Amino acid sequence: MEAYLKYYDLFELPPEATIEEIYKVYAYLKALYTGDAMETTALNTDFSEDLLQDYLSRLDDAYEQLKLLLETKKPALTKKTDVMDEGLSDWIKSIACFSGSALKTVRERMGVDLNDIFAVSRIQPHYLEDIENEHFSSFRAEVFLRSYLIEYTRFLSLDSQKVLADYLPRYRKSQGQA
Amino acid sequence: MDTPEKHCKIWAVGGGKGGTGKSFITSSTGTCLALKGSKTILLDADLGGANLHSFFGLNKPRYSLADFFEKKIPLQDIMVQSGVANLGLITGSIGSLDSESINFAQKQKLFRHIRALDADHILIDLGAGTHINTLDTFLLADRMIVVTVPEITALENMYQFIKSVYFRKMKFIFKTYDLNTTIQDTWKNRASHNIRSLKDLITHLRESSEYIRDIFDREISGFVVHIVLNQVRTTRDILVGENLKSACMNFLGLKVVYAGYCRQDEAVHENINNKEPFLIFNRISPVVKEIKTLTDNIITGTHLSVRKDLVNGSLSQIL
Ligand SMILES: Nc1ncnc2c1ncn2[C@@H]1O[C@H](COP(=O)(O)OP(=O)(O)OP(=O)(O)O)[C@@H](O)[C@H]1O
Ligand SMILES: [Mg+2]
């Protein structure tokens, strides 16, 4: 994921940006630097052909890379069931209660990184960590936690309803006490 | 570290071209700071055409900076009240800051006295041009502000100004490390190093040794100029600031902050002619809000964010 940040930086967009947003900025910058805008004309000799070509190719590259990340990678990454061997799926079935630490164990046994989940769900990794550590105070309202949990379980191909039923009562209890 | 209460912040307003609105921006951001309760002093350092007093409907003050240098009159006594609460004004005059009558040591003395003034903010209106004294004064400020307008000639002058300031800064820093000959020699032999621009020079120097790269990172990487875009007429004009930021980064290798814009509004003109400080007398012009936004952005070093509007297409509703 780190490697992609420099592409987002080039567009000055946050990692939450959608591919449509990225495309708009990409098209905008491309038009700016290939048209004869006064902002570039006024640079005179500093607007050199070398620098321009270098910039445009970095722009193209960044757009292509992010497109790959956001479009192609998505279905590939969500199919985590592919890597689920029989032992693993039996073991998951045997889990009586999906606590945060149980979720973490499942994820790690699947070899999934939090950044992989982030790349598809756009949920910041620190929230995913808070789910796993049952750090409930990070979630201001149940709706947030709920939607995050659904994304999380969908990514790992777990039974969302079962996980929610196991997990949310502990959150509610902590809110009741607060 | 100094506590912010004890240390006044100096803002310098410059930019290559004349008539872009430097004095208007200085007077109205100064008024904005004063209205926020910040003790503010405006210093008119435009040698040829000191006219900051006119923005407050005042006549030219009797004493000027020349009296500080020649008769040792304290700055506090040269200052006049602007008519706006919390806002004082010190006027310059021909000869007070030009190269023949003032050397670098005197300029540093002036800055010591400026910093000792009882104020939270001192705003210096530098006037047009890229005279070496203008550049040096600009560099001594805590916030460096360039006012430009969306016209090709003004942008050319602005780029030139920013490059000159940066080059001056670089030379100054290298001198303190006893490396002044390095820059000169590199520049003299630029053809053999394939250096064609300031950006090439920076890249070349940075790559020449780890020691020099360290100096850049430590001393010069924090160098940022704040851009204010004045007399904006269309939505496309607003984006000029955003584009300048991108162009400066990619083609000059320099960081700038697009602090904000002010639209072209007849009201500005009318208020000046009626001897009314714009921000005090005008409650309707959208420029008032624009001045507030850009002042806040300069205080905090924040970019005006138009990228989001650009992305969701809402920019067309702004003007
Ligand atoms: N946003 C604006 N809308 C309308 N008129 C403006 C605006 N900003 C400045 N002006 C007008 O432009 C003229 C020049 O402004 P100002 O004196 O501030 O420029 P300057 O950069 O200080 O000029 P100089 O380089 O001569 O010192 C003024 O008469 C002012 O009325
Ligand atoms: Mg002026």
Side-chain angles (χ1 to χ4, degrees):
Chain A
M1 200 56 217
E2 280 294 307
Y4 288 96
L5 289 179
K6 73 168 193 278
Y7 301 132
Y8 285 107
D9 278 352
L10 196 62
F11 295 117
E12 288 178 54
L13 286 171
E16 291 80 20
T18 64
I19 190 67
E20 289 79 17
E21 289 169 339
I22 293 168
Y23 179 74
K24 275 188 192 156
V25 175
Y26 167 71
Y28 176 82
L29 290 172
K30 197 134 187 184
L32 171 67
Y33 285 104
T34 52
D36 51 359
M38 62 176 156
E39 296 90 330
T40 53
T41 311
L43 279 165
N44 294 324
T45 53
D46 285 313
F47 190 57
S48 75
E49 193 58 31
D50 291 359
L51 283 175
L52 179 62
Q53 288 314 324
D54 174 61
Y55 176 75
L56 290 176
S57 66
R58 277 190 293 134
L59 208 59
D60 285 339
D61 186 44
Y63 178 65
E64 286 307 316
Q65 293 294 334
L66 290 176
K67 203 166 95 176
L68 277 177
L69 174 76
L70 297 178
E71 284 176 349
T72 339
K73 240 185 168 181
K74 195 167 179 172
L77 272 173
T78 38
K79 281 216 171 139
K80 273 300 157 191
T81 32
D82 296 353
V83 296
M84 235 198 262
D85 58 63
E86 282 211 5
L88 185 56
S89 81
D90 282 345
W91 174 72
I92 288 171
K93 278 184 203 127
S94 76
I95 293 174
C97 178
F98 280 100
S99 63
S101 60
L103 289 171
K104 184 174 180 177
T105 312
V106 173
R107 174 179 65 75
E108 285 176 349
R109 284 198 52 177
M110 288 185 179
V112 173
D113 193 83
L114 288 181
N115 286 322
D116 298 338
I117 306 182
F118 163 72
V120 170
S121 67
R122 318 312 297 168
I123 300 170
Q124 293 291 338
H126 65 91
Y127 281 125
L128 301 170
E129 248 171 60
D130 290 337
I131 288 178
E132 296 183 342
N133 297 330
E134 303 206 347
H135 197 278
F136 293 133
S137 60
S138 301
F139 306 98
R140 275 185 296 122
E142 196 183 305
V143 287
F144 296 118
L145 176 59
R146 196 186 166 80
S147 68
Y148 290 173
L149 271 172
I150 291 174
E151 287 292 331
Y152 186 104
T153 51
R154 191 176 290 162
F155 190 95
L156 298 178
S157 306
L158 299 172
D159 179 349
S160 300
Q161 289 314 310
K162 162 133 181 66
V163 173
L164 288 176
D166 286 352
Y167 192 102
L168 286 178
R170 281 195 307 287
Y171 172 78
R172 284 174 203 143
K173 205 167 146 216
S174 81
Q175 293 302 93
Q177 282 162 356
Chain B
M1 256 192 58
D2 291 316
T3 52
E5 296 82 51
K6 275 185 160 172
H7 210 71
C8 72
K9 290 265 173 275
I10 298 183
W11 296 10
V13 182
K17 196 164 181 289
T20 53
K22 295 176 290 299
S23 301
F24 169 64
I25 296 292
T26 309
S27 64
S28 39
T29 48
T31 307
C32 187
L33 287 166
L35 290 177
K36 281 172 180 288
S38 172
K39 256 186 137 166
T40 305
I41 297 172
L42 306 178
L43 194 137
D44 194 341
D46 188 344
L47 309 172
N51 61 3
L52 215 44
H53 51 275
S54 305
F55 288 80
F56 298 92
L58 302 173
N59 294 325
K60 186 148 188 164
R62 202 162 120 220
Y63 295 113
S64 76
L65 278 181
D67 299 298
F68 166 78
F69 288 115
E70 289 157 19
K71 302 183 193 147
K72 300 203 165 25
I73 298 181
L75 286 181
Q76 200 65 44
D77 298 340
I78 294 172
M79 186 175 85
V80 297
Q81 294 307 315
S82 69
V84 176
N86 289 325
L87 190 64
L89 173 68
I90 295 174
T91 296
S93 70
I94 296 186
S96 57
L97 268 180
D98 66 28
S99 56
E100 288 74 33
S101 62
I102 174 173
N103 57 32
F104 192 69
Q106 282 177 301
K107 221 168 350 181
Q108 282 190 314
K109 177 186 159 198
L110 172 64
F111 260 73
R112 270 201 314 278
H113 282 255
I114 290 175
R115 284 199 192 273
L117 282 167
D118 179 24
D120 304 309
H121 287 93
I122 317 261
L123 273 56
I124 306 178
D125 179 355
L126 282 173
T130 51
H131 191 282
I132 228 118
N133 268 310
T134 305
L135 300 182
D136 283 346
T137 313
F138 198 71
L139 278 171
L140 286 168
D142 304 301
R143 284 276 189 274
M144 300 180 278
I145 302 158
V146 165
V147 178
T148 189
V149 296
E151 281 168 18
I152 200 154
T153 46
L155 299 185
E156 281 183 282
N157 287 351
M158 179 216 65
Y159 283 132
Q160 197 51 51
F161 183 76
I162 296 180
K163 277 163 53 181
S164 308
V165 171
Y166 189 90
F167 191 65
R168 185 93 184 135
K169 166 94 180 176
M170 207 160 72
K171 264 169 68 174
F172 189 72
I173 296 290
F174 273 63
K175 203 167 158 191
T176 62
Y177 284 88
D178 264 334
L179 288 168
N180 24 354
T181 49
T182 311
I183 284 199
Q184 280 156 16
D185 291 348
T186 313
W187 189 244
K188 228 183 274 161
N189 302 318
R190 60 185 178 274
S192 64
H193 298 307
N194 204 15
I195 295 172
R196 285 152 307 175
S197 63
L198 178 64
K199 189 170 194 275
D200 289 344
L201 177 67
I202 297 170
T203 311
H204 179 88
L205 289 170
R206 282 185 66 99
E207 285 169 359
S208 64
S209 81
E210 207 158 298
Y211 179 63
I212 289 183
R213 189 167 55 241
D214 259 16
I215 295 175
F216 268 100
D217 289 343
R218 216 175 26 247
E219 308 269 8
I220 315 183
S221 65
F223 177 96
V224 305
V225 167
H226 295 253
I227 289 185
V228 171
L229 196 67
N230 192 26
Q231 303 180 22
V232 163
R233 292 189 189 85
T234 63
T235 303
R236 169 69 180 83
D237 284 349
I238 295 177
L239 290 172
V240 169
E242 178 85 6
N243 299 341
L244 292 178
K245 185 177 75 170
S246 167
C248 280
M249 184 45 96
N250 292 309
F251 290 87
L252 303 180
L254 306 181
K255 250 185 283 176
V256 303
V257 169
Y258 178 26
Y261 63 88
C262 275
R263 72 187 68 193
Q264 163 87 28
D265 188 345
E266 261 316 291
V268 171
H269 204 76
E270 283 164 25
N271 279 111
I272 296 170
N273 284 340
N274 294 336
K275 299 177 174 258
E276 300 163 340
F278 177 74
L279 230 61
I280 301 292
F281 281 84
N282 205 308
R283 301 256 171 237
I284 0 168
S285 170
V287 175
V288 175
K289 173 98 190 306
E290 289 161 357
I291 292 279
K292 284 182 180 156
T293 304
L294 72 88
T295 305
D296 284 341
N297 284 346
I298 295 170
I299 293 172
T300 55
T302 317
H303 287 278
L304 176 78
S305 172
V306 287
R307 179 74 18 136
K308 232 176 75 223
D309 304 309
L310 186 71
V311 160
N312 62 27
S314 65
L315 201 64
S316 51
Q317 287 138 36
I318 296 180
L319 279 191

